[in-house]
Amino acid sequence: MSSSSVQKDVMESPVMMEDTEKDLYSVSSGTLNEAPAGIDAEVARFFADESAVIPEGVVIDDATNRRLRWMVHKRVLVVMVVTYFAQTLDKGTINFASIMGIVEDNHLHGQQYAWLTTCVYIAILAWEFPTNRLIQRLPVAKYLAFNITAWGAVLACTAACSNFTGLIIVRTLLGIFECVCQPAFVFLSTMWYTREEQALVIGAFYSMNGFQQCVGGLIAYGIAQIHHATLKNWQILFTILGCVTVVWGIFVFFWLPDSPMRAKCWSKEDRLLIAERVRKNETGIQNRQFKMYQVVEALTDPTVWAVTLISLTNALPTGGLGAFSNIILQAFGFTQLQTYLLAIAQGAIIMTFLFSGAWLSKHYNNKLVFAFLYTLPNIAGTIVFLTVPTNAHTKVGLLIAFYCTQGFGAVAVLNLAVMSNNVAGRTKQVIASSLVFIAWAVGNAVGPQVFRSNDSPRYIKAFVAHIVVYGVQLAIIVFLRLRLMRLNVLKRRAQGLRESQANGEDRDERLAHKHAFDDLTDKENPDYL
């Protein structure tokens, strides 16, 4: 429902922080005065210029909401899903190439193969904050398209490598260009989708981690059948995928709108309705100004640090399993071609975890409880790795245990949804997003190094480390759940509303959302529940 249909004013919350850079200001349909410092000028002009397009008091009914959502799906969600599929497939190509001869052809030994994964995440670690800042400053669609095209070109160049040094260079560049995806997509999710929709949207593109396993396994299986070609099989794999990604990047440049304000592919009325649809998020659409007080708030907010630590603990096992999964499966006694085909089932299981977690969290409006529950299969599978010996009679059981450890994807999606739902203020979002994805990069960089070559093929020490990490993750999830419940109760009490432990307004409440586009943080904004 459009907030302009709301007649009830909401009093300011006693817990609201004082904003030293600007007074409270409402950006809404019909705003004609110039926005003061701190309010994004383009957003203010958009609502002022378009105020005459739709009548005051308009209500976005269910049919209109569905129509607008499908319009956004076709332009935004399709790009996020396909791009994330390309990103995960391109980054994971090294895993398929590991049993295609890339190790022998490039004379890799010791931990050098592990470093080909680690260097990607070190590059992400170094470039994560700059890319988040550029997402804030630049037209997000154009910046995303440039990075897609660039990493496609780098991926194709991998086929020309003949030694460890060349592989390290291209893999590092791949990490720099690919690290735009997750922060850009979380930003696009808050810009185009409501809080209730964000878990499923994030789950949709994140599920490509599983789908790429299915498709990647088939592609690798097909290319493995090529014999006596001029190029080696792994060179063919990198060349084809790199060229396809370049073409997709060029398409994204012309297809994806930068924001509702610049979406010339739609009518003026629809652009304004799309913006009004996400008003109740209280996270706004964009703000290019970098605000130091929001940096301080982000760095001192336990919620930000909790989602950051969950990102770290969830990524560390992921990084190792992602790089060594095919090697581990072969150690169970499966052949090369069987390993490729088993990757298809692995991908289907990852997607099942992701979509079930996202759907259940939306249905029950409870993300952290399900993040806790989806950590438990990882623990169960890891315990099996530690206790069951490898032989012909146990390989099927070990395979099932391995599939259980794929629950990390659901936890990652739910954690990102918690961040996007509970952190407001564009600069604060930049800092929170940077911290979360830096932690994700650290976890993925350290993860492969836990799998030591002298501990193969069972990697017992690595799986002991995983058990410890999962225990820490569960403790942090419990802490964050209790914290957010308490904050929500206090803020609703300060608003004079019925106390509730769920975030967001209840269905029978009608909050004005007067400051939705004012770039206030979650602590400042009285309507942020």
Side-chain angles (χ1 to χ4, degrees), residues 268-343:
K268 292 181 178 179
E269 179 181 0
D270 282 342
R271 278 183 283 165
L272 186 57
L273 289 173
I274 286 171
E276 285 290 340
R277 203 177 77 88
V278 298
R279 176 181 287 275
K280 65 179 181 179
N281 289 356
E282 297 293 344
T283 51
I285 296 176
Q286 70 178 28
N287 193 292
R288 294 191 172 93
Q289 183 179 348
F290 194 75
K291 303 175 182 179
M292 284 306 301
Y293 83 92
Q294 291 194 12
V295 175
V296 174
E297 183 175 321
L299 293 177
T300 55
D301 190 343
T303 298
V304 172
W305 286 108
V307 294
T308 299
L309 289 174
I310 292 172
S311 181
L312 173 66
T313 56
N314 195 57
L316 194 149
T318 307
L321 291 173
F324 284 84
S325 61
N326 284 346
I327 295 173
I328 292 170
L329 290 177
Q330 280 197 304
F332 290 166
F334 296 103
T335 67
Q336 178 181 356
L337 293 182
Q338 286 175 332
T339 300
Y340 284 140
L341 295 176
L342 288 172

Side-chain angles (χ1 to χ4, degrees), residues 38-55:
I39 306 297
D40 188 82
E42 185 179 12
V43 174
R45 284 196 305 270
F46 172 71
F47 280 99
D49 294 343
E50 308 298 329
S51 60
V53 175
I54 61 175

Side-chain angles (χ1 to χ4, degrees), residues 13 20 70 86 142 159 168 173 200 237 244 289 324 367 391 421 436 448:
S13 169
T20 57
W70 277 109
K142 305 302 181 289
I168 281 287
L173 289 173
L200 281 172
L237 184 65
V244 170
Q289 183 179 348
F324 284 84
K367 299 175 183 64
N391 56 54
N421 283 187
V436 164

Side-chain angles (χ1 to χ4, degrees), residues 158-383:
T158 308
C161 295
S162 59
N163 54 48
F164 176 66
T165 302
L167 288 175
I168 281 287
I169 292 171
V170 294
R171 295 288 291 174
T172 300
L173 289 173
L174 190 69
I176 289 173
F177 292 124
E178 281 192 348
C179 75
V180 68
C181 279
Q182 293 193 75
F185 292 170
V186 173
F187 176 42
L188 289 171
S189 298
T190 61
M191 177 189 288
W192 294 99
Y193 290 97
T194 65
R195 292 169 80 177
E196 294 80 7
E197 297 164 348
Q198 285 169 20
L200 281 172
V201 169
I202 294 172
F205 72 75
Y206 215 91
S207 68
M208 294 300 101
N209 281 300
F211 189 60
Q212 73 88 12
Q213 284 288 111
C214 301
V215 177
L218 288 174
I219 293 173
Y221 180 79
I223 291 177
Q225 309 310 307
I226 300 175
H227 303 289
H228 311 299
T230 302
L231 296 178
K232 301 290 182 66
N233 287 347
W234 63 270
Q235 292 175 316
I236 296 172
L237 184 65
F238 282 109
T239 302
I240 291 175
L241 295 181
C243 291
V244 170
T245 301
V246 168
V247 173
W248 175 251
I250 295 171
F251 173 79
V252 170
F253 184 88
F254 295 100
W255 183 253
L256 179 65
D258 289 306
S259 68
M261 293 84 72
R262 300 187 181 190
K264 303 301 183 183
C265 52
W266 298 316
S267 68
K268 292 181 178 179
E269 179 181 0
D270 282 342
R271 278 183 283 165
L272 186 57
L273 289 173
I274 286 171
E276 285 290 340
R277 203 177 77 88
V278 298
R279 176 181 287 275
K280 65 179 181 179
N281 289 356
E282 297 293 344
T283 51
I285 296 176
Q286 70 178 28
N287 193 292
R288 294 191 172 93
Q289 183 179 348
F290 194 75
K291 303 175 182 179
M292 284 306 301
Y293 83 92
Q294 291 194 12
V295 175
V296 174
E297 183 175 321
L299 293 177
T300 55
D301 190 343
T303 298
V304 172
W305 286 108
V307 294
T308 299
L309 289 174
I310 292 172
S311 181
L312 173 66
T313 56
N314 195 57
L316 194 149
T318 307
L321 291 173
F324 284 84
S325 61
N326 284 346
I327 295 173
I328 292 170
L329 290 177
Q330 280 197 304
F332 290 166
F334 296 103
T335 67
Q336 178 181 356
L337 293 182
Q338 286 175 332
T339 300
Y340 284 140
L341 295 176
L342 288 172
I344 299 173
Q346 180 186 350
I349 289 169
I350 291 174
M351 294 178 70
T352 301
F353 274 124
L354 284 167
F355 280 119
S356 62
W359 185 85
L360 288 169
S361 70
K362 180 179 185 295
H363 183 72
Y364 292 102
N365 194 24
N366 212 322
K367 299 175 183 64
L368 288 168
V369 168
F370 287 101
F372 185 98
L373 294 176
Y374 276 83
T375 303
L376 301 181
N378 295 6
I379 296 175
T382 305
I383 290 173

Side-chain angles (χ1 to χ4, degrees), residues 438-498:
I438 285 172
W440 172 80
V442 169
N444 277 283
V446 173
Q449 300 301 322
V450 176
F451 287 78
R452 309 301 297 179
S453 58
N454 59 5
D455 196 30
S456 66
R458 291 297 306 277
Y459 300 107
I460 297 298
K461 295 176 183 176
F463 291 122
V464 169
H466 287 188
I467 286 288
V468 174
V469 167
Y470 289 137
V472 173
Q473 178 170 296
L474 292 177
I476 299 169
I477 289 173
V478 171
F479 162 77
L480 183 56
R481 167 68 175 162
L482 295 175
R483 170 177 167 77
L484 293 179
M485 288 169 59
R486 181 59 178 166
L487 288 177
N488 197 60
V489 167
L490 291 175
K491 202 159 193 181
R492 295 181 70 86
R493 185 183 299 167
Q495 288 277 62
L497 300 173
R498 182 176 64 254

